[in-house]
Amino acid sequence: MAETIRTSEKPSNSSSLNPPSRIICHVCQKQFSQYTCPRCNSRYCSLPCYKSHSIRCTESFMRENVVEELRHLQSDDQTKRKMLEILKRFHSEDETEPLDEDVDDSILSDDTIRKILSGGEVNINDLSLEEKKRFQRALAAGELSKMIEPWDPWWLKPAARTICLSKDGAQLIQPMANREDLESDQPSDIPCGPKTPLPSLRKLISTEPSPLLAVHLVDIIYSYCFTLRVYNGDWQSDAVGSAMMVLSISSVLGQAGQPKTVQEALCYCLEQTCSPAYRHIGGLQFGLALVDDITNLLSLGSPALICMLCDLQRMIMAAERELKSEKQRKLRKSETKSKLKLAERKVYFIMCWVHEQPNKALSSLAAIVSAEKSSLMEYGGNKSFPRTEKNVAGNKGKALIEEM
């Protein structure tokens, strides 16, 4: 017996002698219906027919499913706060930027976003030409710096005033529990001191140390603080770049300079800070803030200075290790390695010298640096700093350095 085709929704009595009738789709009127709408009980054959049979049914059905799914989600305070920040940012951007449907607002492509979400590493070469342009514009405008949490220098923290080293300058042995706490909770706090005792200067040189070592120390501290603030305290991310930045700022470490006064040392460092290579970082105002960092470190005494110099030594040694694995020209690589090796030796010698200096001498040096900052601020509007022989001869730091 042939089966009947029905177009009505009225139920039919089916049995073994009376086979069930098949209903035509109420939407397209071409195919047999296989499904029933859960809201209006209308029969349809496919998903396109379901979407087009009634907008009221489809929208309400999807809305109910979404609401039901959201009810099962339990958001914590952190999720609510992040979502609120996203909504506020979106609202502010919506008010400030004009609406243009033809412009693609996405900075990264879908492939790049998927790579980031999957945990892959993305570098500048992975970006398209348009993405590189947008990245450079955001970098020049300072938008990327807003995404980085500001770094608090370790020498400005209260713990820096309680640094203790042994009599021979080595780091004190701490219990295993405290050491684990420091490594886990405060990995980037106070840098560790030397692991081995510092030798006496008499074992390193046969003559008396130069009285200009105090000036050289000012030069080195400035370059260290400059680099750590630029790298946001994380020099380990680029040891070679950090070490080369120290050498480019420091006259003593990078140019084998011999500044004779504190003013001369500061003027050279400030000129490098205001040079075209680094003026975008902050210029003279940034340099004067680094002078305050010098004063703070000198005021902390020899233990903090030894930890600072030890951290600088580790930076240079890490750069030497990275250079061994990098592929560079042999001539350029050997020149860079020789500069780093010489700088590492100078830092170690200054470290041994600082260990034998009384805190009164370091405090006096801090007072000189503070006084020189006041005089340098008078030249804030000039492009060049005073470096005449008259100023060098009349500098008060020379007599105090001889006293030290």
Side-chain angles (χ1 to χ4, degrees):
M1 181 181 295
E3 61 179 357
T4 60
I5 299 176
R6 302 176 60 252
T7 59
S8 174
E9 296 183 3
K10 294 181 180 180
S12 61
N13 298 325
S14 62
S15 63
S16 60
L17 298 178
N18 187 15
S21 59
R22 304 189 66 178
I23 301 177
I24 295 294
C25 176
H26 291 175
V27 182
C28 64
Q29 299 290 332
K30 296 179 180 179
Q31 301 291 337
F32 291 110
S33 62
Q34 300 180 6
Y35 311 99
T36 304
C37 176
R39 297 190 63 84
C40 64
N41 295 325
S42 178
R43 303 298 296 268
Y44 60 94
C45 63
S46 61
L47 181 60
C49 289
Y50 169 74
K51 291 182 178 180
S52 61
H53 90 281
S54 176
I55 298 178
R56 182 179 301 177
C57 289
T58 55
E59 288 185 352
S60 60
F61 179 71
M62 294 298 295
R63 183 171 61 253
E64 289 179 359
N65 288 339
V66 171
V67 172
E68 185 66 22
E69 185 67 23
L70 291 175
R71 289 176 180 175
H72 295 287
L73 296 177
Q74 297 180 356
S75 59
D76 52 4
D77 295 338
Q78 184 178 3
T79 305
K80 294 179 180 178
R81 185 169 58 256
K82 290 182 178 180
M83 181 58 64
L84 182 60
E85 293 176 357
I86 293 174
L87 292 176
K88 288 182 178 179
R89 184 165 59 251
F90 177 78
H91 180 68
S92 61
E93 293 177 357
D94 190 23
E95 290 181 348
T96 56
E97 298 181 359
L99 182 60
D100 191 355
E101 297 180 355
D102 297 334
V103 178
D104 186 9
D105 294 335
S106 59
I107 298 178
L108 301 177
S109 61
D110 295 339
D111 295 337
T112 306
I113 294 176
R114 281 194 294 267
K115 188 174 182 180
I116 296 175
L117 294 178
S118 62
E121 183 178 355
V122 178
N123 53 38
I124 190 68
N125 296 325
D126 296 331
L127 303 179
S128 63
L129 181 60
E130 183 64 25
E131 289 173 344
K132 290 180 180 179
K133 292 180 180 179
R134 295 183 180 181
F135 177 79
Q136 295 294 340
R137 287 197 296 266
L139 186 64
E143 296 177 3
L144 299 181
S145 60
K146 300 177 182 179
M147 305 172 62
I148 303 176
E149 184 178 356
W151 175 68
D152 294 328
W154 60 266
W155 55 84
L156 299 180
K157 296 183 178 180
R161 300 185 177 277
T162 60
I163 300 176
C164 294
L165 300 176
S166 61
K167 293 183 179 180
D168 52 14
Q171 183 179 2
L172 294 175
I173 300 177
Q174 298 181 2
M176 184 63 66
N178 294 341
R179 188 181 305 173
E180 292 177 354
D181 293 339
L182 289 175
E183 292 179 356
S184 59
D185 297 337
Q186 298 175 344
S188 59
D189 249 359
I190 309 300
C192 299
K195 295 182 180 180
T196 57
L198 296 176
S200 173
L201 288 178
R202 297 179 180 178
K203 296 182 180 180
L204 300 178
I205 55 176
S206 58
T207 60
E208 290 294 327
S210 172
L212 300 179
L213 291 179
V215 180
H216 298 179
L217 177 63
V218 172
D219 175 275
I220 294 174
I221 296 176
Y222 186 100
S223 61
Y224 172 82
C225 297
F226 180 95
T227 304
L228 256 67
R229 284 192 176 274
V230 171
Y231 278 85
N232 213 37
D234 184 21
W235 62 260
Q236 293 86 351
S237 60
D238 184 12
V240 176
S242 301
M244 298 308 297
M245 181 174 290
V246 170
L247 267 60
S248 65
I249 297 296
S250 172
S251 169
V252 175
L253 300 180
Q255 305 296 329
Q258 298 289 331
K260 297 180 181 180
T261 62
V262 174
Q263 184 188 62
E264 184 179 351
L266 292 178
C267 285
Y268 180 86
C269 294
L270 290 172
E271 285 179 354
Q272 300 304 312
T273 305
C274 299
S275 64
Y278 298 118
R279 67 176 58 172
H280 64 279
I281 298 177
L284 181 60
Q285 296 299 324
F286 178 65
L288 294 176
L290 293 173
V291 178
D292 292 334
D293 290 336
I294 299 175
T295 305
N296 291 325
L297 272 167
L298 290 172
S299 302
L300 294 176
S302 59
L305 291 173
I306 291 175
C307 291
M308 182 273 296
L309 294 169
C310 190
D311 191 34
L312 178 57
Q313 184 187 30
R314 283 192 291 265
M315 178 198 302
I316 298 175
M317 295 175 66
E320 292 178 316
R321 291 191 298 268
E322 288 188 8
L323 280 178
K324 293 181 180 179
S325 60
E326 291 184 357
K327 294 182 180 179
Q328 293 182 352
R329 294 181 180 179
K330 293 184 179 180
L331 180 60
R332 182 180 179 182
K333 188 174 182 179
S334 61
E335 291 178 355
T336 305
K337 289 178 63 177
S338 61
K339 287 184 178 180
L340 291 176
K341 190 64 178 179
L342 182 60
E344 188 265 329
R345 291 177 179 176
K346 288 183 179 180
V347 171
Y348 184 73
F349 181 81
I350 290 289
M351 190 190 311
C352 297
W353 176 82
V354 169
H355 176 241
E356 298 183 0
Q357 301 305 308
N359 287 331
K360 290 184 179 180
L362 299 175
S363 300
S364 301
L365 183 59
I368 295 177
V369 174
S370 180
E372 289 296 341
K373 178 193 174 183
S374 300
S375 62
L376 287 171
M377 290 179 67
E378 299 178 1
Y379 301 91
N382 299 336
K383 295 183 179 179
S384 60
F385 298 97
R387 299 184 65 177
T388 60
E389 292 295 329
K390 181 178 180 181
N391 290 334
V392 173
N395 188 272
K396 298 181 181 180
K398 191 172 183 180
L400 185 54
I401 292 172
E402 292 177 354
E403 181 181 349
M404 291 173 59

